[in-house]
mmCIF file of all heavy atoms in Angstrom:
data_model
loop_
_atom_site.group_PDB
_atom_site.id
_atom_site.type_symbol
_atom_site.label_atom_id
_atom_site.label_comp_id
_atom_site.label_asym_id
_atom_site.label_seq_id
_atom_site.Cartn_x
_atom_site.Cartn_y
_atom_site.Cartn_z
ATOM 1 N N GLU X 15 58.219 34.218 68.695
ATOM 2 C CA GLU X 15 58.353 35.481 67.948
ATOM 3 C C GLU X 15 57.003 35.860 67.362
ATOM 4 O O GLU X 15 56.351 35.038 66.727
ATOM 5 C CB GLU X 15 59.358 35.314 66.805
ATOM 6 C CG GLU X 15 60.797 35.297 67.276
ATOM 7 C CD GLU X 15 61.779 35.113 66.114
ATOM 8 O OE1 GLU X 15 61.355 34.747 65.007
ATOM 9 O OE2 GLU X 15 62.970 35.342 66.337
ATOM 10 N N LEU X 16 56.618 37.103 67.574
ATOM 11 C CA LEU X 16 55.337 37.563 67.045
ATOM 12 C C LEU X 16 55.495 37.957 65.579
ATOM 13 O O LEU X 16 56.532 38.506 65.194
ATOM 14 C CB LEU X 16 54.835 38.757 67.870
ATOM 15 C CG LEU X 16 54.605 38.452 69.356
ATOM 16 C CD1 LEU X 16 54.188 39.722 70.103
ATOM 17 C CD2 LEU X 16 53.556 37.354 69.534
ATOM 18 N N ASN X 17 54.458 37.676 64.787
ATOM 19 C CA ASN X 17 54.573 37.957 63.350
ATOM 20 C C ASN X 17 53.970 39.316 62.958
ATOM 21 O O ASN X 17 53.248 39.421 61.981
ATOM 22 C CB ASN X 17 53.952 36.828 62.522
ATOM 23 C CG ASN X 17 52.483 36.618 62.846
ATOM 24 O OD1 ASN X 17 51.910 37.387 63.612
ATOM 25 N ND2 ASN X 17 51.875 35.605 62.273
ATOM 26 N N THR X 18 54.293 40.338 63.740
ATOM 27 C CA THR X 18 53.884 41.700 63.367
ATOM 28 C C THR X 18 54.656 42.097 62.108
ATOM 29 O O THR X 18 55.696 41.507 61.813
ATOM 30 C CB THR X 18 54.262 42.690 64.484
ATOM 31 O OG1 THR X 18 55.656 42.504 64.785
ATOM 32 C CG2 THR X 18 53.470 42.435 65.747
ATOM 33 N N SER X 19 54.178 43.103 61.396
ATOM 34 C CA SER X 19 54.916 43.432 60.167
ATOM 35 C C SER X 19 56.184 44.226 60.463
ATOM 36 O O SER X 19 57.177 44.090 59.761
ATOM 37 C CB SER X 19 54.014 44.153 59.167
ATOM 38 O OG SER X 19 53.307 45.175 59.813
ATOM 39 N N SER X 20 56.174 45.044 61.521
ATOM 40 C CA SER X 20 57.421 45.740 61.855
ATOM 41 C C SER X 20 57.922 45.295 63.230
ATOM 42 O O SER X 20 57.219 44.603 63.960
ATOM 43 C CB SER X 20 57.212 47.254 61.820
ATOM 44 O OG SER X 20 56.179 47.621 62.714
ATOM 45 N N LYS X 21 59.125 45.705 63.553
ATOM 46 C CA LYS X 21 59.736 45.298 64.830
ATOM 47 C C LYS X 21 59.050 45.972 66.024
ATOM 48 O O LYS X 21 58.154 46.794 65.851
ATOM 49 C CB LYS X 21 61.228 45.627 64.816
ATOM 50 C CG LYS X 21 62.044 44.764 63.842
ATOM 51 C CD LYS X 21 63.540 45.090 63.969
ATOM 52 C CE LYS X 21 64.375 44.216 63.035
ATOM 53 N NZ LYS X 21 65.821 44.527 63.159
ATOM 54 N N ILE X 22 59.496 45.635 67.212
ATOM 55 C CA ILE X 22 58.776 46.095 68.405
ATOM 56 C C ILE X 22 58.978 47.583 68.718
ATOM 57 O O ILE X 22 58.061 48.237 69.208
ATOM 58 C CB ILE X 22 59.104 45.214 69.632
ATOM 59 C CG1 ILE X 22 58.244 45.584 70.850
ATOM 60 C CG2 ILE X 22 60.580 45.259 69.993
ATOM 61 C CD1 ILE X 22 58.327 44.605 71.996
ATOM 62 N N TYR X 23 60.174 48.131 68.452
ATOM 63 C CA TYR X 23 60.405 49.538 68.831
ATOM 64 C C TYR X 23 60.832 50.436 67.672
ATOM 65 O O TYR X 23 61.259 51.563 67.883
ATOM 66 C CB TYR X 23 61.468 49.620 69.939
ATOM 67 C CG TYR X 23 61.042 48.908 71.203
ATOM 68 C CD1 TYR X 23 61.780 47.831 71.699
ATOM 69 C CD2 TYR X 23 59.904 49.311 71.900
ATOM 70 C CE1 TYR X 23 61.384 47.167 72.854
ATOM 71 C CE2 TYR X 23 59.500 48.644 73.048
ATOM 72 C CZ TYR X 23 60.242 47.588 73.515
ATOM 73 O OH TYR X 23 59.841 46.932 74.643
ATOM 74 N N CYS X 24 60.799 49.900 66.436
ATOM 75 C CA CYS X 24 61.184 50.720 65.284
ATOM 76 C C CYS X 24 60.386 50.268 64.074
ATOM 77 O O CYS X 24 59.591 49.333 64.165
ATOM 78 C CB CYS X 24 62.684 50.604 65.012
ATOM 79 S SG CYS X 24 63.213 48.920 64.624
ATOM 80 N N ASN X 25 60.628 50.916 62.928
ATOM 81 C CA ASN X 25 59.863 50.594 61.725
ATOM 82 C C ASN X 25 60.504 49.529 60.856
ATOM 83 O O ASN X 25 60.011 49.245 59.777
ATOM 84 C CB ASN X 25 59.665 51.860 60.886
ATOM 85 C CG ASN X 25 58.590 52.735 61.485
ATOM 86 O OD1 ASN X 25 57.650 52.230 62.100
ATOM 87 N ND2 ASN X 25 58.752 54.041 61.325
ATOM 88 N N CYS X 26 61.611 48.959 61.294
ATOM 89 C CA CYS X 26 62.268 47.940 60.471
ATOM 90 C C CYS X 26 61.321 46.783 60.232
ATOM 91 O O CYS X 26 60.487 46.457 61.070
ATOM 92 C CB CYS X 26 63.515 47.416 61.168
ATOM 93 S SG CYS X 26 64.837 48.613 61.232
ATOM 94 N N GLU X 27 61.488 46.162 59.059
ATOM 95 C CA GLU X 27 60.642 45.022 58.714
ATOM 96 C C GLU X 27 60.942 43.850 59.651
ATOM 97 O O GLU X 27 62.096 43.553 59.950
ATOM 98 C CB GLU X 27 60.926 44.608 57.257
ATOM 99 C CG GLU X 27 59.969 43.553 56.759
ATOM 100 C CD GLU X 27 60.396 42.937 55.426
ATOM 101 O OE1 GLU X 27 61.422 43.358 54.853
ATOM 102 O OE2 GLU X 27 59.675 42.021 54.982
ATOM 103 N N ASN X 28 59.878 43.202 60.107
ATOM 104 C CA ASN X 28 60.039 42.000 60.921
ATOM 105 C C ASN X 28 59.877 40.793 60.017
ATOM 106 O O ASN X 28 58.775 40.401 59.672
ATOM 107 C CB ASN X 28 58.980 41.990 62.029
ATOM 108 C CG ASN X 28 58.954 40.675 62.796
ATOM 109 O OD1 ASN X 28 59.920 39.918 62.783
ATOM 110 N ND2 ASN X 28 57.842 40.401 63.470
ATOM 111 N N ALA X 29 61.013 40.242 59.563
ATOM 112 C CA ALA X 29 60.948 39.057 58.704
ATOM 113 C C ALA X 29 62.178 38.217 58.966
ATOM 114 O O ALA X 29 63.215 38.726 59.406
ATOM 115 C CB ALA X 29 60.895 39.471 57.236
ATOM 116 N N ARG X 37 68.106 44.686 57.694
ATOM 117 C CA ARG X 37 66.845 45.094 58.328
ATOM 118 C C ARG X 37 67.156 45.703 59.685
ATOM 119 O O ARG X 37 66.780 45.172 60.726
ATOM 120 C CB ARG X 37 65.926 43.874 58.516
ATOM 121 C CG ARG X 37 65.436 43.361 57.197
ATOM 122 C CD ARG X 37 64.319 42.377 57.336
ATOM 123 N NE ARG X 37 64.084 41.793 56.033
ATOM 124 C CZ ARG X 37 64.284 40.534 55.726
ATOM 125 N NH1 ARG X 37 64.679 39.687 56.636
ATOM 126 N NH2 ARG X 37 64.075 40.099 54.516
ATOM 127 N N CYS X 39 68.151 49.616 61.893
ATOM 128 C CA CYS X 39 68.143 51.076 61.885
ATOM 129 C C CYS X 39 68.834 51.526 63.181
ATOM 130 O O CYS X 39 69.144 50.683 64.033
ATOM 131 C CB CYS X 39 66.711 51.601 61.802
ATOM 132 S SG CYS X 39 65.778 51.354 63.322
ATOM 133 N N CYS X 42 67.165 49.861 66.462
ATOM 134 C CA CYS X 42 67.404 48.460 66.831
ATOM 135 C C CYS X 42 68.893 48.124 66.843
ATOM 136 O O CYS X 42 69.296 47.071 67.320
ATOM 137 C CB CYS X 42 66.591 47.498 65.970
ATOM 138 S SG CYS X 42 66.816 47.673 64.202
ATOM 139 N N VAL X 51 59.816 53.309 70.216
ATOM 140 C CA VAL X 51 58.357 53.552 70.236
ATOM 141 C C VAL X 51 57.684 52.175 70.175
ATOM 142 O O VAL X 51 57.942 51.406 69.255
ATOM 143 C CB VAL X 51 57.911 54.401 69.025
ATOM 144 C CG1 VAL X 51 56.405 54.609 69.057
ATOM 145 C CG2 VAL X 51 58.647 55.734 69.017
ATOM 146 N N LEU X 52 56.831 51.905 71.152
ATOM 147 C CA LEU X 52 56.252 50.566 71.261
ATOM 148 C C LEU X 52 55.235 50.263 70.159
ATOM 149 O O LEU X 52 54.378 51.085 69.845
ATOM 150 C CB LEU X 52 55.590 50.420 72.640
ATOM 151 C CG LEU X 52 54.903 49.090 72.947
ATOM 152 C CD1 LEU X 52 55.878 47.921 72.901
ATOM 153 C CD2 LEU X 52 54.232 49.154 74.330
ATOM 154 N N ASN X 53 55.329 49.088 69.577
ATOM 155 C CA ASN X 53 54.420 48.587 68.552
ATOM 156 C C ASN X 53 53.130 48.082 69.216
ATOM 157 O O ASN X 53 53.141 47.123 69.984
ATOM 158 C CB ASN X 53 55.136 47.440 67.810
ATOM 159 C CG ASN X 53 54.329 46.857 66.669
ATOM 160 O OD1 ASN X 53 53.105 46.936 66.651
ATOM 161 N ND2 ASN X 53 55.035 46.253 65.715
ATOM 162 N N LYS X 54 52.010 48.736 68.908
ATOM 163 C CA LYS X 54 50.724 48.400 69.549
ATOM 164 C C LYS X 54 50.276 46.973 69.239
ATOM 165 O O LYS X 54 49.678 46.300 70.070
ATOM 166 C CB LYS X 54 49.632 49.353 69.044
ATOM 167 C CG LYS X 54 49.397 50.551 69.913
ATOM 168 C CD LYS X 54 48.114 51.234 69.463
ATOM 169 C CE LYS X 54 47.884 52.512 70.246
ATOM 170 N NZ LYS X 54 46.825 53.326 69.654
ATOM 171 N N LYS X 55 50.521 46.567 67.995
ATOM 172 C CA LYS X 55 50.109 45.224 67.566
ATOM 173 C C LYS X 55 50.724 44.171 68.464
ATOM 174 O O LYS X 55 50.079 43.181 68.838
ATOM 175 C CB LYS X 55 50.566 44.976 66.120
ATOM 176 C CG LYS X 55 49.488 45.062 65.058
ATOM 177 C CD LYS X 55 48.745 43.773 64.864
ATOM 178 C CE LYS X 55 47.268 43.824 64.562
ATOM 179 N NZ LYS X 55 46.826 44.653 63.486
ATOM 180 N N ALA X 56 52.007 44.395 68.818
ATOM 181 C CA ALA X 56 52.706 43.410 69.652
ATOM 182 C C ALA X 56 52.023 43.300 71.014
ATOM 183 O O ALA X 56 51.911 42.206 71.589
ATOM 184 C CB ALA X 56 54.172 43.799 69.806
ATOM 185 N N VAL X 57 51.544 44.437 71.512
ATOM 186 C CA VAL X 57 50.824 44.425 72.794
ATOM 187 C C VAL X 57 49.505 43.661 72.646
ATOM 188 O O VAL X 57 49.166 42.798 73.463
ATOM 189 C CB VAL X 57 50.562 45.875 73.282
ATOM 190 C CG1 VAL X 57 49.722 45.878 74.550
ATOM 191 C CG2 VAL X 57 51.883 46.608 73.507
ATOM 192 N N TYR X 59 48.747 41.329 70.486
ATOM 193 C CA TYR X 59 49.012 39.891 70.322
ATOM 194 C C TYR X 59 49.296 39.227 71.677
ATOM 195 O O TYR X 59 48.854 38.116 71.946
ATOM 196 C CB TYR X 59 50.203 39.673 69.375
ATOM 197 C CG TYR X 59 49.888 39.901 67.910
ATOM 198 C CD1 TYR X 59 48.624 40.338 67.494
ATOM 199 C CD2 TYR X 59 50.863 39.668 66.937
ATOM 200 C CE1 TYR X 59 48.348 40.540 66.144
ATOM 201 C CE2 TYR X 59 50.587 39.863 65.579
ATOM 202 C CZ TYR X 59 49.333 40.299 65.195
ATOM 203 O OH TYR X 59 49.071 40.495 63.866
ATOM 204 N N LEU X 124 56.096 40.559 77.332
ATOM 205 C CA LEU X 124 56.538 41.000 76.013
ATOM 206 C C LEU X 124 57.980 41.479 76.109
ATOM 207 O O LEU X 124 58.340 42.170 77.062
ATOM 208 C CB LEU X 124 55.617 42.142 75.562
ATOM 209 C CG LEU X 124 55.849 42.790 74.202
ATOM 210 C CD1 LEU X 124 55.736 41.775 73.078
ATOM 211 C CD2 LEU X 124 54.836 43.919 73.989
ATOM 212 N N GLU X 125 58.804 41.118 75.141
ATOM 213 C CA GLU X 125 60.191 41.584 75.152
ATOM 214 C C GLU X 125 60.728 41.613 73.722
ATOM 215 O O GLU X 125 60.029 41.269 72.784
ATOM 216 C CB GLU X 125 61.056 40.686 76.060
ATOM 217 C CG GLU X 125 61.107 39.236 75.632
ATOM 218 C CD GLU X 125 61.835 38.338 76.622
ATOM 219 O OE1 GLU X 125 61.908 38.671 77.822
ATOM 220 O OE2 GLU X 125 62.323 37.275 76.191
ATOM 221 N N ASN X 145 69.743 41.638 62.214
ATOM 222 C CA ASN X 145 68.389 41.658 61.633
ATOM 223 C C ASN X 145 67.313 41.238 62.634
ATOM 224 O O ASN X 145 66.189 41.699 62.574
ATOM 225 C CB ASN X 145 68.306 40.728 60.413
ATOM 226 C CG ASN X 145 68.950 41.342 59.187
ATOM 227 O OD1 ASN X 145 69.274 42.532 59.192
ATOM 228 N ND2 ASN X 145 69.145 40.553 58.152
ATOM 229 N N ARG X 146 67.670 40.325 63.528
ATOM 230 C CA ARG X 146 66.673 39.816 64.478
ATOM 231 C C ARG X 146 66.516 40.714 65.708
ATOM 232 O O ARG X 146 65.585 40.526 66.503
ATOM 233 C CB ARG X 146 67.064 38.390 64.898
ATOM 234 C CG ARG X 146 65.879 37.560 65.341
ATOM 235 C CD ARG X 146 66.279 36.143 65.689
ATOM 236 N NE ARG X 146 67.160 36.097 66.848
ATOM 237 C CZ ARG X 146 67.670 34.975 67.372
ATOM 238 N NH1 ARG X 146 67.384 33.815 66.823
ATOM 239 N NH2 ARG X 146 68.463 35.018 68.416
ATOM 240 N N CYS X 147 67.424 41.666 65.875
ATOM 241 C CA CYS X 147 67.324 42.566 67.030
ATOM 242 C C CYS X 147 66.015 43.325 66.978
ATOM 243 O O CYS X 147 65.686 43.948 65.970
ATOM 244 C CB CYS X 147 68.427 43.625 66.961
ATOM 245 S SG CYS X 147 69.933 43.110 67.706
ATOM 246 N N GLY X 148 65.269 43.271 68.067
ATOM 247 C CA GLY X 148 64.030 44.049 68.114
ATOM 248 C C GLY X 148 62.829 43.344 67.528
ATOM 249 O O GLY X 148 61.755 43.932 67.388
ATOM 250 N N VAL X 149 62.983 42.075 67.162
ATOM 251 C CA VAL X 149 61.798 41.309 66.767
ATOM 252 C C VAL X 149 60.983 41.064 68.036
ATOM 253 O O VAL X 149 61.542 40.683 69.061
ATOM 254 C CB VAL X 149 62.221 39.965 66.112
ATOM 255 C CG1 VAL X 149 61.051 39.001 66.009
ATOM 256 C CG2 VAL X 149 62.839 40.221 64.747
ATOM 257 N N PRO X 150 59.667 41.333 68.004
ATOM 258 C CA PRO X 150 58.897 41.151 69.239
ATOM 259 C C PRO X 150 58.764 39.680 69.634
ATOM 260 O O PRO X 150 58.531 38.819 68.796
ATOM 261 C CB PRO X 150 57.525 41.736 68.899
ATOM 262 C CG PRO X 150 57.449 41.797 67.426
ATOM 263 C CD PRO X 150 58.849 41.877 66.907
ATOM 264 N N LEU X 151 58.942 39.440 70.912
ATOM 265 C CA LEU X 151 58.881 38.072 71.456
ATOM 266 C C LEU X 151 57.907 38.056 72.613
ATOM 267 O O LEU X 151 57.846 39.013 73.383
ATOM 268 C CB LEU X 151 60.225 37.738 72.102
ATOM 269 C CG LEU X 151 61.375 37.070 71.406
ATOM 270 C CD1 LEU X 151 62.439 36.753 72.450
ATOM 271 C CD2 LEU X 151 60.946 35.814 70.706
#
Side-chain angles (χ1 to χ4, degrees):
E15 285 179 346
L16 300 177
N17 59 6
T18 52
S19 47
S20 57
K21 291 184 179 180
I22 186 169
Y23 298 119
C24 61
N25 283 329
C26 290
E27 187 191 358
N28 172 20
R37 291 192 189 114
C39 71
C42 55
V51 179
L52 179 61
N53 182 335
K54 266 192 184 168
K55 256 274 144 52
V57 176
Y59 285 3
L124 180 59
E125 61 186 25
N145 283 349
R146 206 177 65 180
C147 273
V149 166
L151 268 188

